[in-house]
Structures are given as C-alpha cells and as structure tokens.
Amino acid sequence: MQALRRPHAITLSLVLLTLFGALRPSPAHAQRRRSARTATPAEAGPQLYRSANFHMMTDLPRDEARELLQRLETMHRLVAAYWGRRNTRPIEMFVVDDLSNWPAERLQQMDPQGLASIRAQAGLTMTQVISNGKQFASKSVVYAVADHGTPQHEAVHAYCGHAFGNAGPVWYAEGMAEVGKYWRENDKSVGASEYVIQYLRNSPIRPLNDIVNNPLETTGDSWQNYAWRWALCHLLGFNENYTKRFKPLGLALLAGRKANFWQVYGTQAQEIEFEYRLFIQDLEPGYRCDLCSWDWKTRFRGVTSASPTVSRIRADRGWQASRLQVRKGQTFRYSCDGEWELAKGEEAVTADGDDQGRGRLTGIYFEDYELSEPFELGAEGTFTATQDGNLFLRCGDAWGEIADNSGTIKVELTLDEEAAVTPPEPQSP
C-alpha cells in the first residue's frame, strides 16, 4: 500500500533540509526481550541493516534480516532492469516481526499511519515528492510487517517513488508491486501464494474493466482486489502477445502522462479477455504465461483433399495450432511420429504418454473465443469432431510442470473418407 504526499512546488534546494533530512533512524538500542522468534541477547530489539539500496530497521534475527536484505536487493535489481531507471537513494524501511520488541523511542520515530498499518499486520509506503514541474525530488519510507512478502511489495512502491515520483494508478501500482514481490531471477513462472491462487481459481472472473477502470477501488482496500490486479499485470507482463505494449504503457503511467489501458489494448480486447480467463482457469504454481501464449497468427484450413494437415507440437508449450479447421460430424485419422520427455532425465514417451496418461497427445476446439472440453488422442487413431472449430493440440501434463518438458512430435491429420458424413437425401412430401 502506498501513500503519496506531494507538497506544493517549491525550489528544489529546500529539499535537502526539509525532505532528505527527515525520518533518519538513529543507531538501534538493543532490547533483551523475547520476540515471536528465538533471538540471542545481541540480536534482541531492532537493529539497523544496510545494503546498497536499503537501510532497514528490523527486529528480525540477524540471519533472517540479512536474508531479507538480499532478497530485497535481488528484487530491486530485477525491477530496476525492467523499468530502466535506477533508485536515486537508499530506501528506508521499518520491518516489524513483533512490536513488543520495539522500545517506545523507536515507535515514536515511525509515522503514525505507518505504525497503524503495522498494527493491522499490513504495510504502508510514505512517499514525499517535491517538484518544480521539470525536476522532482522524493523520499520514501516503508513500514511493513515481516511476513507474507509485505516488505518486498512495499519496497516496489518505494522504488517507484524514488525513480519516478509516482507509482501510477491503483491497478498498476498495486498489481506491479505484487508482481515484484514474487519475482525471482531468471524465472517467469507463477510464484503467487497458494491462497491467492485458490481464491482466483474458485471465484467468479473479475471483468477486466472492473480492474483497470474502477474509481471505487483504492490502495489498501483488500488482498482479494490485489490478487486480481496481480493476475492481470502478471499476464500482460509475461504473455508474449502483450508484453511489448505493457512496458511502454507502464512507463507512461509512471511518468504521469495520459495513458489508458483500453487505448493501448483496445484492438486486442477479445484476445486479452480470452487469455485472461484461460490463465485464471489453469492457474497453478509454476504456470508460465510465456509458454502458454495463444497462437493468434497461424492460419487454419478445412480439409479440401486427401493430403494431410501437418503440425509439430512441442512438449514445453501450452495449446498449439494444428492448422486443421473441423466441422461437426467429420471424422479424422491421425498419426504421430516422435517422442517427448516430461522432465529432465525421464524416459521419453510417445504421444500415447506414460502408464499414468501423462504426456498423452490432447486436443481441444476453439470457436468464437470459446473452448470445448479437452479430449485425449494418442499416437494413432481416429476422432469425430463434436463441434465446428479450430483444432489445438498439446502434450498432456500439469500446467505448472510443462517448462521442464522437451521434445517435439509430428502430427498428421487426414479426413477419414469412409466415415465422412454425407448429407441426408431429401424426403418425399
């Protein structure tokens, strides 16, 4: 959660006295009191830990504090590389494990709103910004409880305050703070908490416009709203169909320019809505939006001759275009050539999959932005189309486990002429 304080424009030279000198924590006084965690007397009470981009006052045990500082630096490196702007000064943080470990003089250093947020087991970032219209100076201070990834979430707000003087509208600011909280180096997979994933999968789909254009939603409103904002920002940030537009949109929002989600993505509204619903439906730990990006470019055709329709299906991707357009009642023969592996070091299997059915070639029909129920195929056989649509195929595996798959299978599909449906003869009156 963030709170932005933007004083009236004054000369920037005043900032050094009024802004950058404020809220400086003095050296910590050790207090020998038991916290919720076991701590040695030397570690009891809040201590100040420093790194290149963070000055963190916390009552966490020394090892945990240093580990958190390392995670914060990793997160900062990732978000700074993504947005292409450095943090202008160390981010000051109060991270609380147990308030009973904090002496009264330490609590008095905290902003009352920040302390209230900690008492509510949440977090708050206070950002002061002074601008003359062309330049700005800013200072952010983070107040956070030590668990649930709250320090990382708030640190993203603080970074944005220092780097841009702004965090953007609520949906973007809170959504990207959640994305940043979960980011891991060289890892594009879903790392959201299990309770967030289960909430999203078991709830009615929140319409996109309710996320990006809802004036009633505010920062700090509810973790459920944060979950939907995260889902949209994660999808747009990692899905190959939308990521190229998402970063420029975000930079425009952070710069305070007039930018609108629908102006940027209006021509892709149906595609985003479809992939957003599919993402929520299949969401699980390890899910990769980049590997599951929908193929909107491949051309499909109906059967016009005995020549086969050929596609190559990768084991490490989601639904992939077969290139075959079917009509309800048509029967097709299919045959597969090749093998794929479902994990490094596992024995390769054919399109029939293993003895548990993992790795079996699976199909689905796409028609007018709706999907049929998936159905199993295999290495060879026939199937009869249950509806009109474009046929998509994939290697049958858990959605969160396809990233370590490897191999490609060649699939040939031909119309079964013997089983072809012929129109009934007209009946005599």
Side-chain angles (χ1 to χ4, degrees):
M1 185 167 65
Q2 58 167 337
L4 181 66
R5 295 175 177 173
R6 188 179 293 274
H8 294 294
I10 60 175
T11 57
L12 289 177
S13 61
L14 294 179
V15 174
L16 295 176
L17 295 177
T18 63
L19 181 57
F20 288 175
L23 295 168
R24 281 287 181 194
S26 57
H29 298 287
Q31 182 181 14
R32 299 186 181 186
R33 179 180 297 178
R34 284 187 180 273
S35 70
R37 307 166 192 258
T38 302
T40 64
E43 294 174 328
Q47 303 288 322
L48 181 62
Y49 298 86
R50 299 173 185 267
S51 64
N53 290 284
F54 298 93
H55 292 172
M56 181 177 68
M57 184 75 70
T58 182
D59 61 324
L60 283 169
R62 183 182 294 115
D63 289 347
E64 294 183 33
R66 289 174 175 170
E67 191 272 336
L68 174 57
L69 209 57
Q70 185 175 15
R71 281 189 281 126
L72 288 167
E73 284 291 347
T74 298
M75 183 215 67
H76 168 267
R77 184 170 67 256
L78 295 174
V79 299
Y82 175 76
W83 275 307
R85 189 171 295 189
R86 67 181 182 87
N87 179 38
T88 57
R89 57 185 287 103
I91 295 169
E92 297 176 9
M93 303 182 70
F94 293 89
V95 178
V96 175
D97 181 34
D98 185 346
L99 273 174
S100 67
N101 292 329
W102 292 66
E105 59 267 27
R106 283 287 169 226
L107 298 181
Q108 291 172 358
Q109 289 183 325
M110 297 187 188
D111 185 280
Q113 292 184 60
L115 181 57
S117 184
I118 288 173
R119 292 189 189 280
Q121 292 297 298
L124 179 69
T125 299
M126 307 293 296
T127 299
Q128 295 174 300
V129 180
I130 296 176
S131 173
N132 62 6
K134 296 181 179 180
Q135 297 175 298
F136 74 90
S138 61
K139 179 180 176 63
S140 294
V141 180
V142 168
Y143 304 87
V145 293
D147 56 359
H148 306 305
T150 305
Q152 295 97 305
H153 175 104
E154 297 301 330
V156 176
H157 288 320
Y159 160 81
C160 289
H162 283 180
F164 300 97
N166 182 30
V170 171
W171 74 269
Y172 184 81
E174 301 300 348
M176 289 303 291
E178 288 291 281
V179 170
K181 177 175 78 176
Y182 297 126
W183 259 352
R184 296 180 296 272
E185 199 157 17
N186 300 318
D187 188 353
K188 297 180 180 180
S189 66
V190 165
S193 301
E194 185 64 30
Y195 74 92
V196 170
I197 293 173
Q198 290 305 314
Y199 164 72
L200 291 171
R201 289 196 60 167
N202 296 318
S203 301
I205 293 287
R206 181 80 59 86
L208 286 178
N209 202 53
D210 283 3
I211 301 175
V212 302
N213 192 29
N214 189 339
L216 300 179
E217 292 190 356
T218 61
T219 185
D221 43 16
S222 71
W223 70 265
Q224 292 91 340
N225 286 340
Y226 278 39
W228 291 108
R229 295 163 188 153
W230 164 79
L232 178 58
C233 288
H234 182 92
L235 173 71
L236 297 176
F238 290 109
N239 185 295
E240 293 175 346
N241 294 316
Y242 314 114
T243 183
K244 289 183 180 180
R245 293 188 181 187
F246 188 55
K247 185 185 290 188
L249 170 62
L251 289 171
L253 294 173
L254 290 169
R257 297 197 296 271
K258 290 184 178 180
N260 182 280
F261 175 86
W262 294 116
Q263 289 176 339
V264 173
Y265 287 116
T267 58
Q268 295 178 293
Q270 285 184 298
E271 287 83 356
I272 291 177
E273 187 77 42
F274 170 81
E275 294 203 63
Y276 164 67
R277 287 188 284 113
L278 194 60
F279 173 47
I280 299 299
Q281 171 188 300
D282 298 329
L283 183 60
E284 61 181 56
Y287 184 98
R288 289 275 299 272
C289 284
D290 56 324
L291 301 181
C292 297
S293 303
W294 200 259
D295 182 353
W296 299 109
K297 297 179 180 179
T298 296
R299 291 181 175 274
F300 288 75
R301 64 179 179 84
V303 175
T304 57
S305 67
S307 61
T309 299
V310 179
S311 57
R312 288 171 173 78
I313 307 302
R314 290 172 50 178
D316 61 349
R317 300 285 298 196
W319 294 113
Q320 298 158 68
S322 73
R323 304 178 184 274
L324 178 66
Q325 186 179 66
V326 305
R327 288 190 295 111
K328 182 178 180 179
Q330 287 181 320
T331 298
F332 298 89
R333 292 189 177 277
Y334 64 91
S335 62
C336 301
D337 181 42
E339 293 181 326
W340 43 36
E341 296 178 8
L342 303 182
K344 290 183 179 179
E346 282 196 11
E347 185 177 350
V349 297
T350 69
D352 280 331
D354 62 17
D355 55 4
Q356 297 179 334
R358 294 172 59 245
R360 192 173 184 86
L361 182 67
T362 304
I364 203 167
Y365 302 120
F366 170 90
E367 177 69 8
D368 195 23
Y369 297 97
E370 295 291 338
L371 292 176
S372 70
E373 290 296 320
F375 54 94
E376 291 188 341
L377 294 170
E380 187 176 9
T382 64
F383 69 95
T384 300
T386 57
Q387 67 171 72
D388 295 349
N390 295 334
L391 175 65
F392 281 76
L393 302 169
R394 81 178 189 98
C395 172
D397 198 4
W399 286 107
E401 298 177 7
I402 66 173
D404 63 353
N405 293 354
S406 62
T408 301
I409 282 181
K410 177 183 176 182
V411 182
E412 293 191 1
L413 297 132
T414 56
L415 183 66
D416 188 340
E417 297 288 355
E418 296 180 0
V421 176
T422 57
E425 295 184 4
Q427 300 292 318
S428 302

